Amino acid sequence: MYRTILMPTDGSPCSFQALEHGLSLAKALGAKVHFLYVLENPAQAIWIAPESVPYGLELLEDLKKAGEEAIRKALDLAREKGVEATGEVKEGTPIPTIVEAAKGFDLLVMGTHGRTGLDKLLLGSVTEGVLHRVSVPVLVVRCR
């Protein structure tokens, strides 16, 4: 049924919980997994003053390293569980990047904090944004 599974991660404990669920499912189904870390360029998300440009480049490099570390941890977990997996860090805006990537997969697995009210309004939800735009089935794991 599900032969290929996309699992976006941001390296957080919540996304790690979703990875564990998704990898258990992949193991049971004999599915292949692909991990995706979306690197949002801070210069595109916020205004950076000209004097901040050197730090902005350093920040982007730090974020890239964090993404590579998140993918490495996900790949290590997949290896431990005996699941065939690949991973990548891709620059872009999280929701459209994940929606586009999901087109090549049978299932998408993501975590959510389950925020409501003001927290949801202020912090938003990448998972919810993806859920309403993607055309493949989505397994949403509510984090503890």
Side-chain angles (χ1 to χ4, degrees):
M1 180 176 211
Y2 302 120
R3 293 175 302 202
T4 58
I5 303 173
L6 176 64
M7 291 191 222
T9 181
D10 61 6
S12 69
C14 181
S15 71
F16 192 78
Q17 286 179 29
L19 296 183
E20 288 182 320
H21 277 77
L23 287 168
S24 295
L25 179 62
K27 177 76 173 173
L29 298 173
K32 295 177 183 176
V33 169
H34 184 72
F35 301 112
L36 174 64
Y37 182 99
V38 180
L39 174 62
E40 189 166 18
N41 187 334
Q44 294 173 343
I46 57 173
W47 182 82
I48 295 181
E51 61 273 6
S52 301
V53 170
Y55 177 70
L57 297 174
E58 186 178 316
L59 176 60
L60 183 61
E61 197 56 39
D62 289 345
L63 292 171
K64 185 176 182 181
K65 286 177 185 173
E68 290 167 350
E69 179 65 13
I71 293 297
R72 185 193 61 75
K73 286 181 178 179
L75 289 169
D76 288 348
L77 183 61
R79 199 170 9 267
E80 287 173 21
K81 293 191 176 274
V83 175
E84 185 179 337
T86 57
E88 70 177 313
V89 174
K90 191 171 197 172
E91 192 171 327
T93 305
I95 293 171
T97 302
I98 294 167
V99 168
E100 184 61 32
K103 292 177 182 175
F105 294 87
D106 301 322
L107 178 68
L108 181 61
V109 177
M110 297 181 74
T112 185
H113 294 280
R115 291 184 182 104
T116 58
L118 189 57
D119 279 351
K120 182 178 175 184
L121 181 65
L122 295 175
L123 300 173
S125 170
V126 171
T127 300
E128 186 174 349
V130 169
L131 185 62
H132 292 290
R133 292 170 178 84
V134 76
S135 59
V136 299
V138 181
L139 171 61
V140 177
V141 178
R142 178 130 186 219
C143 299
R144 294 174 242 121

